Amino acid sequence: MSKGKYGIHGGQYTPETLMNAIIEVEKAYEHYKNDPAFQAELTELLNDYAGRPSRLYFAKKMTADLGGAKIYLKREDLNHTGSHKINNVLGQALLAKKMGKTRLIAETGAGQHGVATATAAALMGFECEIFMGKEDTDRQALNVFRMRLLGAKVHVVTSGTMTLKDAVNETFREWTTRVDDTHYVLGSVMGPHPFPEMVRDFQSVISKEAREQILKKEGKLPSAVIACVGGGSNAIGAFYNFIPDEEVRLIGCEAAGKGVDTALHAATIANGSLGIFHGMKSYFCQDEYGQIAPVYSISAGLDYPGIGPEHAHLHDTKRAEYVPITDDEAVAAFEYLSRTEGIIPAIESAHAIAYAMVLAPTMRKDEIIIVNVSGRGDKDVAAIARYKGENIYE
Amino acid sequence: MNNTLKANIIEANIIEANKIKANKISEIFADQKAFIAFLTAGDPSLDKTEEFILAMDAAGADLIEIGIPFSDPIAEGPVIEAANERALSASTTTDAIFDMVARVRAQTAIPLVFLTYMNPVFVYGVERFFSACQKNGINGIIIPDLPFEEKGEILSVAQAHDVDVITLIAPTSQDRIQMLARDATGFIYLVSSLGVTGVRSEIKTDLAAIVSDIRAVTQTPIAVGFGIATPEQATTIAKLADGVIVGSAIVRIIAEHGAASTPILIDYVRKMKAALV
């Protein structure tokens, strides 16, 4: 029987060699998610180590400048290691510990998930190996060194398009090679069941906090929640507890690269079609024969040809909307937030800021937008300088 | 069975009649140990793939596994992954592979089995894909990323078109072995080792124990693959299983010799087949 379905999406399309490992994770997660001691331990880690709850900050200058809805920023960029990735990683690492695993492996795109995994491994005493595409180790060199500094071994992936998708392939291959003592810390709400559900649960702390925070500050719910989407973990985290609130628009911002009418983008909902890949049925950028398309974005974290199955379902049911944001728009938003609020967002998160800049002026002043600032932009500064034609090196 | 399906099957049988009728997969295991050879379609070209298949058939191969190349073959090691990349760079498509299979089927009765990933089948259209398999003379299919739990995606359609969905059993299958084996048709693909495809110097899995678990619930023949390259390894494996599958060692010959691989493949297949006693 097929498990982990979101409408027609999801499932467990994974090689037989990994099935028992995946079932083991599924059983362990089913047990520990209802275990108060596990949840207490995780909450303590999230609060005392990662710095939760993250702030919900009223962006006063941005709001005034755009002249429409009130904009609040959910500050996942202030978490330890600089992004929302730590929420999921602490959950999975703790679970791996309970399962008796001694080694963590993970893929990474921008390097944020790799850094978070290496951090949790250092904290909890795991061996750690990270797989990262060569194109990404080049554009995110600082994060490669951070992972090494934390004691992880970084494998440079030179197969395929040498980006996030290929890093995922290589991590799956590594897991089939050594499965007994190893847990694969998947970084997004993708892959075979139980990963999309488990990662969503660990990330849903974002919307749990944001919903309480906005009700406390404003006494009402926001009109819209905006987040960037690659695989979709920060977005599902930011959306999840608002899904039953039908009056709240949920908006995911996909990477449109040079534009959705060019070949150089990673906009899965805008240009993808139904497929089965990386363990799940969902939407993918692909050709008529089901070959996965090379995708492109300035943002290594959004440079992925698929989207998590729950997002695909939220799109099908029209509960969430997905909009494409180009490199140019994201870079403009990156600079705008830096100058207007003194907050340098990750280039991934800048895709969400960019859409808030479009949407806010069209809304009434008594309406509220929450933008998830999924990560901070320190890692992107050199790449943005190069994008602007300034040749600085890290 | 609905009428469209019936009509498709009748049409397929008419076309079938103009070709050589394929032998059944089970027949190759009847009175001998089988040698199963894998290659990637379109590496270095589909014309060469056709030539290589016929050459290996003539040299003694009992079944040919034809890889439909995929952009992201997550169960493959570097050798076969590179073959996938070469084939796709040569613009190999599923349609052109079906045409090549039809040409092969016009010349031989050897059982032909596809190996590919779920996405190329799903996106082509499951009914359209298996209908084309039947029409062109494909006997079975191996899909590494389609586990038992998701077989419903294709099983009834494949069966309606007389295509065996080959069951994979891995060293990690443990308590799943008998559940998997019970439903198996064609042959069982027993994965010899953890990890991805590729030549190995030593196979450490306790294959005898797995084989005995399988035999307890099914008569379906067992072929062992992953990591087998030498006649000595083939002899050892043939003592406990019904057949031996070789992929990476063959693909490596093609990678090295390209269009000129035929005589080397013939020599290799003869040696391997002779080792299966």
Side-chain angles (χ1 to χ4, degrees):
Chain A
M1 261 304 282
S2 184
K3 283 183 283 193
K5 291 299 226 189
Y6 303 87
I8 60 167
H9 305 281
Q12 271 180 321
Y13 299 87
T14 199
E16 173 57 26
T17 306
L18 289 177
M19 279 309 290
N20 263 330
I22 282 170
I23 291 167
E24 188 190 353
V25 174
E26 188 185 318
K27 284 185 178 156
Y29 181 62
E30 282 303 315
H31 173 76
Y32 285 106
K33 79 175 179 187
N34 300 314
D35 175 16
F38 177 86
Q39 290 300 340
E41 205 175 339
L42 179 57
T43 301
E44 189 181 331
L45 278 170
L46 288 171
N47 293 353
D48 295 349
Y49 186 70
R52 299 209 72 86
S54 72
R55 298 293 193 264
L56 185 70
Y57 165 74
F58 174 47
K60 202 171 170 183
K61 281 182 71 191
M62 189 176 168
T63 299
D65 182 55
L66 295 172
K70 289 180 89 167
I71 297 170
Y72 279 87
L73 304 176
K74 181 62 175 161
R75 299 294 307 276
E76 292 298 303
D77 59 313
L78 294 179
N79 296 340
H80 180 44
T81 72
S83 81
H84 71 292
K85 292 293 188 188
I86 194 77
N87 305 332
N88 166 45
V89 164
L90 288 174
Q92 286 199 48
L94 193 59
L95 186 69
K97 201 87 197 167
K98 304 285 179 203
M99 290 166 68
K101 303 290 176 182
T102 56
R103 178 172 174 260
L104 301 180
I105 57 172
E107 85 294 345
T108 195
Q112 296 302 89
H113 177 59
V115 166
T117 306
T119 298
L123 176 71
M124 300 188 204
F126 290 100
E127 250 185 273
C128 183
E129 295 184 32
I130 304 295
F131 295 80
M132 188 170 181
K134 184 173 185 308
E135 192 165 312
D136 297 334
T137 55
D138 289 346
R139 58 183 164 174
Q140 301 285 359
L142 196 60
N143 270 343
V144 176
F145 189 73
R146 285 169 80 194
M147 290 183 266
R148 290 190 175 131
L149 194 63
L150 291 159
K153 185 171 176 190
V154 180
H155 297 274
V156 180
V157 176
T158 55
S159 60
T161 55
M162 306 187 204
T163 58
L164 180 54
K165 150 184 95 80
D166 310 285
V168 174
N169 292 346
E170 220 49 61
T171 318
F172 270 118
R173 288 182 181 125
E174 175 61 25
W175 205 20
T176 53
T177 303
R178 189 171 154 188
V179 65
D180 265 4
D181 64 349
T182 301
H183 177 69
Y184 178 4
V185 185
L186 240 168
S188 194
V189 283
M190 44 153 297
H193 177 72
F195 287 102
E197 180 187 321
M198 178 169 70
V199 177
R200 176 254 279 154
D201 288 353
F202 289 140
Q203 292 295 0
S204 65
V205 65
I206 300 171
S207 53
K208 182 173 175 287
E209 290 172 3
R211 198 173 182 286
E212 287 165 7
Q213 289 165 324
I214 200 70
L215 287 174
K216 196 168 168 199
K217 282 176 193 278
E218 293 280 349
K220 64 175 184 178
L221 291 170
S223 298
V225 176
I226 306 178
C228 64
V229 183
S233 71
N234 92 80
I236 211 78
F239 293 172
Y240 187 66
N241 288 285
F242 291 107
I243 291 175
D245 304 318
E246 283 177 20
E247 68 274 32
V248 180
R249 286 174 70 186
L250 306 174
I251 305 170
C253 301
E254 299 191 299
K258 303 285 187 195
V260 287
D261 47 354
T262 71
L264 298 173
H265 67 81
T268 309
I269 295 287
N271 274 11
S273 57
L274 192 62
I276 298 173
F277 179 52
H278 278 166
M280 59 188 175
K281 186 181 282 182
S282 188
Y283 294 110
F284 297 96
C285 296
Q286 55 184 335
D287 73 8
E288 59 178 308
Y289 290 107
Q291 305 296 344
I292 302 302
V295 289
Y296 162 81
S297 165
I298 187 172
S299 145
L302 305 183
D303 198 353
Y304 180 71
I307 188 166
E310 192 165 6
H311 283 294
H313 183 58
L314 289 172
H315 168 71
D316 287 356
T317 56
K318 300 193 164 49
R319 178 63 192 92
E321 311 154 53
Y322 296 86
V323 295
I325 299 293
T326 65
D327 283 2
D328 283 349
E329 292 168 315
V331 170
F334 180 89
E335 295 179 318
Y336 177 84
L337 194 68
S338 303
R339 286 188 191 158
T340 311
E341 292 289 348
I343 295 170
I344 302 175
I347 189 64
E348 289 77 18
S349 319
H351 286 69
I353 300 293
Y355 194 67
M357 290 165 67
V358 174
L359 189 63
T362 70
M363 293 167 66
R364 293 194 316 270
K365 290 191 176 179
D366 63 337
E367 292 185 288
I368 299 162
I369 295 175
I370 295 178
V371 185
N372 196 35
V373 182
S374 57
R376 61 174 174 243
D378 311 39
K379 69 184 176 54
D380 298 308
V381 170
I384 299 299
R386 289 197 292 273
Y387 185 81
K388 305 283 290 180
E390 270 184 63
N391 224 357
I392 64 167
Y393 289 92
E394 300 166 326
Chain B
M1 194 182 298
N2 67 43
N3 284 335
T4 334
L5 200 54
K6 246 185 221 164
N8 284 345
I9 291 171
I10 292 164
E11 186 202 18
N13 288 341
I14 293 167
I15 298 164
E16 183 84 350
N18 298 326
K19 294 201 176 82
I20 295 179
K21 188 153 173 47
N23 293 330
K24 287 212 171 305
I25 292 176
S26 56
E27 289 167 12
I28 68 168
F29 301 97
D31 50 3
Q32 58 160 4
K33 303 287 182 180
F35 180 71
I36 297 175
F38 169 89
L39 81 183
T40 301
D43 173 29
S45 69
L46 283 170
D47 284 347
K48 282 290 155 186
T49 303
E50 179 185 345
E51 178 184 319
F52 298 159
I53 291 171
L54 294 170
M56 291 196 291
D57 176 16
D62 299 297
L63 183 153
I64 308 287
E65 266 181 36
I66 302 169
I68 299 178
F70 181 48
S71 51
D72 297 85
I74 60 159
E76 310 298 350
V79 171
I80 296 178
E81 188 188 7
N84 278 263
E85 285 179 13
R86 286 193 299 274
L88 291 173
S89 302
S91 302
T92 306
T93 67
T94 310
D95 286 317
I97 292 168
F98 277 124
D99 292 343
M100 183 273 296
V101 168
R103 295 196 298 274
V104 169
R105 184 51 82 216
Q107 302 168 70
T108 174
I110 190 171
L112 301 171
V113 170
F114 274 147
L115 186 146
T116 192
Y117 289 78
M118 197 49 227
N119 206 45
V121 176
F122 179 77
V123 172
Y124 195 83
V126 173
E127 170 60 34
R128 181 177 166 225
F129 185 90
F130 285 103
S131 160
C133 284
Q134 185 174 30
K135 184 176 142 196
N136 295 298
I138 289 289
N139 305 64
I141 188 161
I142 303 165
I143 305 182
D145 60 346
L146 187 75
F148 180 84
E149 282 77 353
E150 301 290 353
K151 263 202 317 195
E153 196 71 58
I154 61 163
L155 191 61
S156 60
V157 180
Q159 284 171 340
H161 290 289
D162 214 10
V163 176
D164 285 316
V165 178
I166 304 300
T167 295
L168 288 139
I169 292 180
T172 49
S173 294
Q174 297 160 354
D175 53 336
R176 294 166 56 83
I177 291 173
Q178 299 199 334
M179 168 182 85
L180 304 176
R182 217 166 271 134
D183 285 359
T185 60
F187 68 93
I188 287 170
Y189 190 134
L190 174 53
V191 175
S192 75
S193 314
L194 289 178
V196 292
T197 55
V199 171
R200 289 167 170 78
S201 55
E202 199 185 352
I203 291 165
K204 293 176 183 157
T205 308
D206 185 1
L207 293 175
I210 300 177
V211 166
S212 126
D213 278 358
I214 296 171
R215 301 257 198 243
V217 293
T218 183
Q219 306 273 314
T220 305
I222 303 165
V224 177
F226 274 45
I228 302 164
T230 66
E232 293 72 28
Q233 287 174 314
T235 304
T236 311
I237 297 290
K239 287 199 171 83
L240 48 101
D242 306 301
V244 168
I245 305 167
V246 172
S248 295
I250 287 170
V251 171
R252 204 161 58 179
I253 291 173
I254 297 170
E256 201 174 315
H257 300 276
S261 299
T262 302
I264 299 122
L265 289 173
I266 290 173
D267 185 51
Y268 178 74
V269 171
R270 274 193 190 134
K271 270 189 207 143
M272 291 299 283
K273 177 67 184 170
L276 300 183
V277 283

